[in-house]
Amino acid sequence: MQNPEGIHPALWRGTQLAQAGRPTLSTGFESLDAELPGHGWPMGALIELMPRQAGIGELFLLQPALAGLDAGRSVILLCPPYTPQFHCWVNWGLENRRLLWVAPKTPSDTLWAAETILRHNACGALLCWAAMPRAALLRRLHLAAQQSDTLFVLMRPPAALQQASAAVLRLLLQPLPQGIEVHIKKRQGPQASRPVSLSLYGPRLPAPRAPSDHVPLDQPLPAVLSARRHLA
């Protein structure tokens, strides 16, 4: 059989990226899109981002995709490690997308909230911070995500790479002076041969559209200090 991958969209050769079985959303970075099945973030699936340190640019990485979502749907931040900064949200041009901040008291409440939000298809994007949920819980979250058309991103520490996961995409993020280095640890396709370096704090960011009495909160920082910045 010369083209076994033509039998079903869920089949692909080990030497090629999988066909996108579900809709995808461009990351906004051509070099990263080229390395992902469907050339973007998979919608309705579990995605794991593992920043080396919180605040090194993981939300900057998602900003173009969030801007591409339907403005009528909410973006939910579930248990972020820092207080969200709405001024950054405005500077990114995302003020028309309703931002909801949910702060459960316990890790189990966080995972319950994530599953409930996904099952009700309650938002355009769900960004959830969780440390080490069990593999069974990750499968439940992935199944719940498949019932939605949500961009679902689970933020986890790098140590989570030692744990099996149902995620269709797992990315390890390392800081660079003006951006991040993306290591693709899992994708539906061949093993990535090299990391993808992305510039985040250069000319890609839109300039403020009107004068403000406030100093912009998304100014570039040295890599050593960038981990201390508040998440948007």
Side-chain angles (χ1 to χ4, degrees), residues 114-163:
E115 184 176 1
T116 302
I117 290 168
L118 292 169
R119 291 194 183 281
H120 287 84
N121 198 22
C123 58
L126 172 60
L127 312 183
C128 176
W129 282 258
M132 299 293 284
R134 298 191 305 273
L137 288 174
L138 293 174
R139 287 194 295 272
R140 287 181 56 173
L141 289 175
H142 180 55
L143 289 173
Q146 289 181 313
Q147 300 176 28
S148 73
D149 58 357
T150 299
L151 174 63
F152 175 40
V153 179
L154 190 64
M155 305 286 186
R156 306 184 66 193
L161 284 171
Q162 304 303 316
Q163 177 188 16

Side-chain angles (χ1 to χ4, degrees), residues 27-111:
T27 67
F29 301 92
E30 292 184 3
S31 57
L32 183 56
D33 281 350
E35 297 293 333
L36 302 181
H39 303 295
W41 302 117
M43 306 293 286
L46 172 58
I47 302 168
E48 290 184 358
L49 297 186
M50 303 175 189
R52 183 61 65 183
Q53 296 173 299
I56 62 172
E58 58 270 29
L59 290 190
F60 274 93
L61 175 63
L62 295 171
Q63 184 269 335
L66 296 178
L69 293 172
D70 182 353
R73 303 190 69 192
S74 301
V75 175
I76 297 180
L77 305 182
L78 184 55
C79 204
Y82 302 117
T83 302
Q85 298 294 318
F86 184 71
H87 289 293
C88 285
W89 205 248
V90 172
N91 287 343
W92 287 356
L94 297 174
E95 66 274 15
N96 292 329
R97 290 157 181 79
R98 187 172 59 164
L99 178 65
L100 301 179
W101 174 24
V102 182
K105 293 183 178 180
T106 67
S108 59
D109 287 346
T110 297
L111 297 173

Side-chain angles (χ1 to χ4, degrees), residues 118-215:
L118 292 169
R119 291 194 183 281
H120 287 84
N121 198 22
C123 58
L126 172 60
L127 312 183
C128 176
W129 282 258
M132 299 293 284
R134 298 191 305 273
L137 288 174
L138 293 174
R139 287 194 295 272
R140 287 181 56 173
L141 289 175
H142 180 55
L143 289 173
Q146 289 181 313
Q147 300 176 28
S148 73
D149 58 357
T150 299
L151 174 63
F152 175 40
V153 179
L154 190 64
M155 305 286 186
R156 306 184 66 193
L161 284 171
Q162 304 303 316
Q163 177 188 16
S165 173
V168 298
L169 185 63
R170 307 183 84 186
L171 306 180
L172 175 68
L173 309 180
Q174 300 271 18
L176 291 176
Q178 289 296 318
I180 56 174
E181 188 173 69
V182 180
H183 298 256
I184 302 174
K185 295 298 184 179
K186 180 182 178 182
R187 63 180 178 180
Q188 293 179 315
Q191 182 176 358
S193 59
R194 60 178 64 88
V196 180
S197 297
L198 302 176
S199 175
L200 300 180
Y201 308 119
R204 291 184 53 85
L205 293 177
R209 288 158 294 173
S212 172
D213 294 333
H214 300 280
V215 175

